[in-house]
Amino acid sequence: MDVVLEAFDRYLFDYLYATFLPADAKTFNNDVFREFNVTTSSMAETPTNYHYQPASQYLQFQPTDWAYQSHWSRDNLYRQLLSLYIITCVFGAIVYFLCATLSYHFVFDHATFSHPKYLKNQISQEIRQSLSSMPTMAIFTVPFFLLEVRGYSKMYDATAEGPGRWYNLLQFPLFIAFTDFCIYFIHRGLHHPLVYKRLHKPHHRWIMPTPFASHAFHPLDGYAQSVPYHIFPFIFPLQKFAYVALFIWINVWTVMIHDGEYVANSPIINGAACHTMHHLYFNYNYGQFTTLWDRLGGSYRQPNEELFRKETKMGKEEWDRQKKEMEKIVKEVEGEDDRTYLPEGKEGKKVQ
């Protein structure tokens, strides 16, 4: 994350901090900001001459004069916290909308709008839930990023700084295996009766999710399931650019398992079909990437074969079967079903 922060500093934050928190408060005529400068000087580090040290030897963003003209230098703790929070919120929202929108237009099966368990105004609800949760999730996520930027993780830049060339490839399956293991148990725990209705039910509001449901969580639910991604580089070495690539990949994968395009008919991969089973029938397929831990934990449910045949996956017979079983299970898990569905036979609008 230090490479990302350096880029944002160079092209955005250096100018903003130099403008609103100048190094010499006397040159800034706004009394509010002058007072803020004086107050924070006793809390934060005393400003010193900032010396630029690139976050990576492979990609560097040489600072301009703005980098040396703020009361909060680049290595100031409070500046890093605020900057990382903004990056997490803005970059997270951009990746969410970009991936979900592309999937919606080019992958998602729009016949889903006619499913009997598709909600009224569902997409607008999914987006609203996602956007309302992201700022709170970012509050809990930023401390991990801050520790990484300040050098407390095991992330490395050059191969010579890591375990070796062999690890440059091994880190990817290791990351998948570790996070898949952890998320399985976190996700299954979120289905415990004492927790489910308080935290996880907002994500299960979507029985037939669209790509925009990928990030539609209760803030603490979304944060809990993201923790394994963030603790990995504090336990295992991880190359900096691999970390950024994996961060983007996680967001893409999260959209993919909600896109309703059942391509991966695999006994190993926990793809969209497996995750559809989870949204329909609640207590199955908790895994994030693979079916391994569901199989070992007795919670694996093989997707219906009809889902992989174009002529049957959106057929009335399959939908009626899904509806009947889902209604039975939802009473066991939630009690009264408080969702508002579209009237049967009425197709939802594509833009809602």
Side-chain angles (χ1 to χ4, degrees):
M1 188 56 74
D2 54 356
V3 178
V4 176
L5 180 59
E6 182 181 317
F8 272 85
D9 278 336
R10 167 63 177 81
Y11 294 106
L12 178 63
F13 291 136
D14 285 342
Y15 171 77
L16 293 178
Y17 285 112
T19 301
F20 294 102
L21 286 172
D24 185 359
K26 293 180 181 179
T27 65
F28 199 77
N29 294 323
N30 190 307
D31 292 338
V32 174
F33 281 100
R34 186 184 304 119
E35 182 179 349
F36 183 67
N37 262 329
V38 173
T39 302
T40 56
S41 64
S42 63
M43 299 189 303
E45 303 100 320
T46 302
T48 58
N49 292 326
Y50 169 71
H51 298 287
Y52 170 66
Q53 292 182 329
S56 171
Q57 64 179 336
Y58 303 114
L59 182 63
Q60 300 175 15
F61 302 92
Q62 292 293 331
T64 64
D65 291 343
W66 293 111
Y68 307 96
Q69 297 178 19
S70 174
H71 178 74
W72 280 5
S73 63
R74 282 190 177 186
D75 54 5
N76 179 281
L77 175 68
Y78 302 106
R79 169 172 168 163
Q80 289 178 340
L81 271 171
L82 179 59
S83 299
L84 288 168
Y85 179 78
I86 294 172
I87 291 171
T88 304
C89 289
V90 174
F91 189 61
I94 291 173
V95 173
Y96 163 67
F97 276 113
L98 179 62
C99 295
T101 301
L102 289 174
S103 176
Y104 174 80
H105 286 291
F106 299 108
V107 180
F108 177 64
D109 192 336
H110 291 75
T112 302
F113 296 141
S114 298
H115 194 282
K117 293 304 177 183
Y118 184 80
L119 303 185
K120 183 179 180 181
N121 301 323
Q122 180 170 314
I123 290 179
S124 62
Q125 293 183 56
E126 291 169 340
I127 293 174
R128 187 162 52 249
Q129 177 70 50
S130 299
L131 294 182
S132 65
S133 297
M134 285 181 184
T136 304
M137 285 192 285
I139 291 174
F140 294 103
T141 301
V142 163
F144 288 109
F145 291 152
L146 181 68
L147 291 173
E148 293 164 10
V149 167
R150 298 183 80 85
Y152 291 101
S153 72
K154 293 187 176 183
M155 284 197 285
Y156 64 93
D157 185 36
T159 299
E161 300 170 0
R165 290 181 181 276
W166 58 274
Y167 191 79
N168 287 342
L169 294 177
L170 180 64
Q171 62 185 330
F172 294 102
L174 180 60
F175 179 89
I176 296 298
F178 174 80
T179 55
D180 192 48
F181 166 78
C182 294
I183 292 173
Y184 171 80
F185 288 101
I186 293 171
H187 191 178
R188 186 160 188 168
L190 287 164
H191 277 260
H192 189 281
L194 295 177
V195 179
Y196 173 80
K197 289 186 179 181
R198 292 179 175 86
L199 296 183
H200 197 49
K201 184 180 176 180
H203 187 62
H204 270 274
R205 181 171 180 79
W206 334 112
I207 303 301
M208 291 300 294
T210 78
F212 294 99
S214 57
H215 293 63
F217 291 92
H218 183 287
L220 295 182
D221 178 6
Y223 168 72
Q225 295 194 62
S226 73
V227 166
Y229 303 132
H230 300 298
I231 66 173
F232 181 89
F234 293 93
I235 301 174
F236 304 99
L238 185 63
Q239 205 277 334
K240 291 181 178 181
F241 292 100
Y243 177 80
V244 175
L246 285 167
F247 176 83
I248 296 173
W249 162 247
I250 289 163
N251 283 273
V252 172
W253 178 261
T254 304
V255 170
M256 287 173 61
I257 62 176
H258 292 88
D259 65 18
E261 188 59 32
Y262 312 127
V263 177
N265 187 8
S266 167
I268 299 174
I269 299 174
N270 186 58
C274 283
H275 202 64
T276 293
M277 293 293 99
H278 178 72
H279 274 266
L280 276 168
Y281 308 128
F282 296 83
N283 296 324
Y284 304 94
N285 300 347
Y286 300 108
Q288 180 72 355
F289 301 110
T290 76
T291 63
L292 173 63
W293 298 105
D294 280 300
R295 291 178 181 277
L296 294 176
S299 55
Y300 175 68
R301 174 162 177 163
Q302 183 176 352
N304 303 341
E305 285 295 326
E306 287 80 4
L307 297 181
F308 300 99
R309 296 199 294 268
K310 189 174 182 63
E311 65 275 10
T312 59
K313 79 169 188 173
M314 292 295 181
K316 186 177 186 305
E317 183 178 346
E318 174 64 14
W319 282 357
D320 287 343
R321 180 169 65 172
Q322 292 173 359
K323 176 185 174 183
K324 182 178 180 180
E325 185 172 359
M326 172 266 167
E327 290 176 346
K328 178 182 178 182
I329 295 176
V330 78
K331 288 181 180 179
E332 299 172 356
V333 174
E334 299 180 357
E336 187 70 24
D337 188 356
D338 57 2
R339 299 168 182 82
T340 302
Y341 302 103
L342 282 172
E344 288 200 38
K346 182 177 180 181
E347 182 178 328
K349 296 180 181 179
K350 291 188 177 182
V351 180
Q352 303 171 350

